[in-house]
Amino acid sequence: MLYSKYEDFLSFLQYKKILITTHDLVDIDGFASCFALKFFLCERFNKSPSIFFSELSKATKNFMNKFLIKFPEFKFDYETEVNLANYDVCLIIDTNDLSQIHFNSSKSSKLDIPYILIDHHHYGKTELENRNISSLNLINDDISSSAEIILDLIESQNQDLPTRYRYLMAAAILVDSGFFRYGNNGTIRKFSRLLDEKVNYQHLLNMLQNETDISEKIAKIKGLQRVELIRKGDYLIGVSNVSSFGANVASMLIKNGFDVGIVYSVEKNRKNINSRAKKSVCLNTGLHLGKILEELSKYADGSGGGHDGAASIAFNAELKQVLSKFIEKIKHFL
Ligand SMILES: [Mn+2]
């Protein structure tokens, strides 16, 4: 991004009372970017901006807890209630959709102070919103994380980042780039600049490891114990049943070698089927689970649909009949 853009951005902020925020169910990119920007502005202006978060996602909470084991002295200070009237400007990171920001847990709470967007998502707005100081927006939808924009800003000002912030930014880049799957050369270069003898890649991976809930683990184990194998040529279909986490169990079947995973659940009067198929199988055979379940909806007295490789149906008709019809239709493509 242009150096002069950062100069304008910073000189505008110099004497302002600043609030930094991000979208609801704060993800690791939004979370890390807010704290790194707060650190930078604090160093720069010698005055600390506030951060507001409505609610952290489960993965973010998990990451924060693991981070605090490594850096117990670090303070993740943020507000969960905020009076916008106390601020001159709001910096919105990692979203450009105001409906994703939930001030004071009320969706209707209006953002009635000037704001600036710092984001990497597609920005399709053509008409200007009057509270947005759009000339100062830092938007780049060519990159995989908001953290990269914040880093670019910080690097442009030759500000050093302490180890703990390097961990935060590295984690954000890893997660939002899908561990570099959606990244480009710049993503990897920026990431590698964060690594030094104190930032350990394996520690970082460990911080990002998500613990699975015990009930989900049990569902997956039961799902594997109960799976029935159906073979059609070289294709393998797995059929299993669990009472909850059906979608996760169906995904697990695919990861374990099945080409198609089907998991049914019966709870009181509610019956449903979750299904997953390997992308390559869908592409090679024309299989589209979502279309099949949509077609089955009438027969099954329910409603179903989804994508080619991931679909589900909730229905009232006899389970056995719906299930065998579904398998029969899948076999047609294999
Ligand atoms: Mn992001």
Side-chain angles (χ1 to χ4, degrees), residues 18-270:
I18 303 166
L19 178 68
I20 304 174
T21 194
T22 180
H23 55 81
D24 190 37
L25 286 177
V26 179
D27 63 6
I28 293 174
D29 186 31
F31 182 79
S33 297
C34 285
F35 283 103
L37 182 61
K38 177 178 165 167
F39 164 80
F40 169 67
L41 294 176
C42 205
E43 293 288 299
R44 175 89 175 202
F45 301 135
N46 227 334
K47 217 176 73 192
S48 184
S50 305
I51 292 179
F52 166 80
F53 291 147
S54 41
E55 199 187 342
L56 304 184
S57 75
K58 214 175 138 193
T60 304
K61 282 183 200 153
N62 178 62
F63 168 73
M64 182 172 79
N65 291 333
K66 289 196 166 178
F67 183 91
L68 286 172
I69 295 171
K70 191 164 175 67
F71 300 104
E73 77 292 351
F74 194 89
K75 292 262 177 300
F76 283 111
D77 283 332
Y78 62 88
E79 315 289 326
T80 52
E81 291 276 322
V82 73
N83 182 358
L84 292 170
N86 294 336
Y87 299 94
D88 299 321
V89 62
C90 182
L91 306 180
I92 296 173
I93 304 183
D94 204 38
T95 182
N96 56 56
D97 177 0
L98 296 190
S99 72
Q100 290 190 17
I101 299 167
H102 299 178
F103 286 114
N104 298 344
S105 58
S106 140
K107 283 183 194 173
S108 57
S109 196
K110 284 267 281 199
L111 180 60
D112 51 8
I113 58 171
Y115 65 90
I116 299 170
L117 301 169
I118 303 170
D119 187 35
H120 69 112
H121 297 97
H122 176 68
Y123 187 69
K125 293 197 187 88
T126 45
E127 56 199 88
L128 297 174
E129 286 168 63
N130 55 7
R131 289 281 174 188
N132 181 211
I133 310 167
S134 55
S135 61
L136 297 177
N137 286 349
L138 304 177
I139 295 178
N140 182 352
D141 58 10
D142 255 355
I143 53 172
S144 53
S145 64
S146 296
E148 287 160 78
I149 302 176
I150 304 294
L151 269 179
D152 204 49
L153 166 71
I154 292 175
E155 284 178 350
S156 77
Q157 306 298 310
N158 298 314
Q159 169 72 51
D160 277 338
L161 269 184
T163 303
R164 49 200 194 278
Y165 289 97
R166 290 171 176 265
Y167 266 101
L168 285 179
M169 296 314 259
I173 292 178
L174 266 187
V175 172
D176 256 37
S177 72
F179 292 76
F180 300 126
R181 266 200 310 282
Y182 317 113
N184 53 32
N185 292 6
T187 314
I188 296 175
R189 279 196 205 107
K190 274 213 167 54
F191 181 80
S192 73
R193 284 201 290 275
L194 291 168
L195 306 178
D196 59 17
E197 60 286 352
K198 287 193 192 134
V199 180
N200 180 300
Y201 182 61
Q202 287 301 325
H203 289 175
L204 194 58
L205 289 184
N206 182 270
M207 274 183 202
L208 291 169
Q209 202 98 63
N210 259 323
E211 297 304 334
T212 312
D213 210 56
I214 182 112
S215 48
E216 187 179 338
K217 285 185 197 168
I218 292 172
K220 283 178 171 171
I221 291 165
K222 284 187 177 168
L224 273 181
Q225 285 174 325
R226 294 169 183 165
V227 71
E228 181 202 341
L229 166 67
I230 300 169
R231 181 170 176 170
K232 170 90 191 283
D234 281 340
Y235 292 110
L236 306 175
I237 304 172
V239 183
S240 189
N241 78 293
V242 289
S243 49
S244 47
F245 299 105
N248 300 23
V249 174
S251 297
M252 178 202 63
L253 292 177
I254 300 300
K255 286 181 195 141
N256 278 280
F258 290 98
D259 296 292
V260 182
I262 300 171
V263 177
Y264 59 91
S265 316
V266 183
E267 273 177 292
K268 289 179 193 142
N269 292 323
R270 248 187 78 237

